[in-house]
């Protein structure tokens, strides 16, 4: 009997390193990375009605309403690649209502990773973040600089990556995090996200190997 594919959720404050760790996790575990923020930014870039509405909330650092986000994420989770390879859900659910809806649709993760980073570090991470529009890779001017001049010249910045906006995003996060955790308490693994990205990944990798080991043992005993 083959164990069903791995299902992972990763959560944490703005700029806690979710996207950075997801790059490392997908490289090693080949899961389908589904980031609520990326799906929303794609809607904004496409100029759809949902994108236009979503941007109003994103600019204020508030949660985009459920009627836009819930269906968007659900549809991505139901795609054949997510079902076959397993998924890595980044930045979702972010409220009790999203967590409840997801459970209602039958999506239950094996592990819920919470990245813990002190607030004073988060602002520095946000203002220095840059994105490569060609590869989608995340950089930081100081902590993770681009490899070449060519990449450096094409880097872009997110519209909500200012000190003022990250403080609003942080308020939203702090308001909701406990309610979400209450849904996944028994499978939550807290990770120290203030270390280097390699050291953060070492902790996550150990937690994922542990989950895989437990699941293989339980399949083997059937
Ligand atoms: P979203 O795009 O998810 O933004 P966020 O949660 O604020 O998280 P970020 O993407 O800013 O940070 P990250 O944790 O991925 O950090 P990263 O790895 O890039 O959401 C944006 C908006 O969309 C929300 O405000 C909301 O409006 C809306 N939205 C999203 N999901 C929603 C939902 N479920 N419901 C409703 N609305 C939703 O790292 C940050 C920087 O730090 C980078 O420069 C990186 O290089 C650097 N860095 C990373 N790790 C380290 C390290 N260990 N050491 C040093 N530097 C590091």
């Amino acid at each position: 009997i083959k164990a069903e594919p791995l299902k992972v959720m990763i959560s944490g404050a703005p700029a806690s390193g979710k996207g950075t760790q997801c790059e490392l996790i997908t490289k090693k575990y080949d899961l389908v990375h589904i980031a609520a923020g990326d799906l929303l930014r794609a809607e904004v870039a496409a100029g759809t009605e949902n994108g236009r509405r979503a941007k109003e909330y994103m600019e204020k650092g508030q949660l985009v309403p459920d009627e836009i986000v819930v269906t968007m994420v659900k549809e991505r989770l139901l795609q054949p690649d997510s079902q076959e390879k397993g998924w890595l859900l980044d930045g979702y659910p972010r409220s009790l209502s999203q967590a409840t809806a997801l459970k209602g649709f039958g999506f239950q993760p094996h592990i819920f990773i919470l990245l813990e980073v002190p607030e004073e570090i988060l602002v520095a991470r946000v203002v220095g973040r840059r994105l490569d529009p060609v590869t989608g890779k995340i950089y930081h001017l100081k902590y993770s600089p681009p490899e070449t001049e060519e990449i450096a010249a094409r880097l872009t910045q997110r519209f909500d990556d200012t000190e003022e906006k990250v403080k609003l995003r942080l308020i939203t996060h702090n308001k909701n995090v406990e309610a979400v955790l209450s849904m996944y308490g028994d499978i939550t693994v807290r990770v120290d996200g203030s270390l280097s990205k390699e050291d953060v990944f070492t902790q996550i990798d150990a937690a994922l190997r542990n989950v895989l080991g437990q699941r293989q043992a339980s399949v083997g005993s059937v």
Side-chain angles (χ1 to χ4, degrees):
I1 308 164
K2 199 166 165 279
E4 60 163 349
L6 194 57
K7 299 168 189 169
V8 179
M9 282 182 186
I10 186 159
S11 151
S16 55
K18 300 182 292 293
T20 299
Q21 294 303 319
C22 286
E23 281 178 9
L24 299 170
I25 297 168
T26 43
K27 206 187 282 174
K28 175 153 185 187
Y29 290 90
D30 196 29
L31 303 174
V32 176
H33 177 210
I34 303 173
D38 289 348
L39 293 176
L40 287 168
R41 278 183 291 278
E43 288 286 328
V44 173
T48 63
E49 177 57 20
N50 274 348
R52 197 191 56 70
R53 281 192 62 208
K55 193 171 183 202
E56 287 172 24
Y57 293 87
M58 295 167 85
E59 282 187 323
K60 288 187 266 180
Q62 293 171 1
L63 294 183
V64 172
D66 281 359
E67 69 256 29
I68 296 176
V69 188
V70 170
T71 314
M72 193 183 71
V73 173
K74 178 189 170 199
E75 282 175 0
R76 187 66 192 86
L77 282 166
L78 287 171
Q79 295 291 313
D81 59 343
S82 317
Q83 299 286 309
E84 281 155 25
K85 289 183 173 181
W87 42 258
L88 171 60
L89 200 46
D90 165 3
Y92 192 94
R94 270 189 221 225
S95 64
L96 191 59
S97 64
Q98 290 177 6
T100 310
L102 206 57
K103 203 171 183 182
F105 299 138
F107 295 108
Q108 180 66 17
H110 298 109
I111 178 170
F112 184 96
I113 299 166
L114 178 67
L115 293 177
E116 296 186 302
V117 179
E119 296 195 1
E120 58 274 17
I121 297 181
L122 297 172
V123 175
R125 284 194 184 174
V126 155
V127 295
R129 171 168 44 197
R130 297 292 184 276
L131 303 167
D132 183 345
V134 176
T135 61
K137 206 173 157 196
I138 304 162
Y139 291 95
H140 190 284
L141 294 179
K142 194 165 155 200
Y143 311 128
S144 190
E147 297 88 349
T148 65
E149 280 296 319
E150 191 190 347
I151 298 173
R154 67 183 186 219
L155 294 181
T156 60
Q157 201 171 5
R158 254 168 59 175
F159 63 82
D160 57 350
D161 271 356
T162 61
E163 182 167 348
E164 176 207 359
K165 285 184 180 156
V166 75
K167 287 188 173 151
L168 299 174
R169 282 152 61 196
L170 201 49
I171 292 171
T172 303
H173 169 78
N174 290 340
K175 214 160 53 186
N176 291 294
V177 63
E178 290 306 326
V180 175
L181 279 173
S182 71
M183 292 279 285
Y184 303 107
D186 51 338
I187 52 161
T188 296
V189 173
R190 290 170 186 266
V191 166
D192 180 354
S194 68
L195 307 175
S196 72
K197 74 174 186 183
E198 293 79 14
D199 288 345
V200 176
F201 183 65
T202 302
Q203 299 172 69
I204 293 177
D205 192 24
L208 292 178
R209 274 187 285 132
N210 189 25
V211 170
L212 281 174
Q214 278 171 8
R215 291 174 53 243
Q216 258 148 22
S218 66
V219 168
S221 65
V222 172

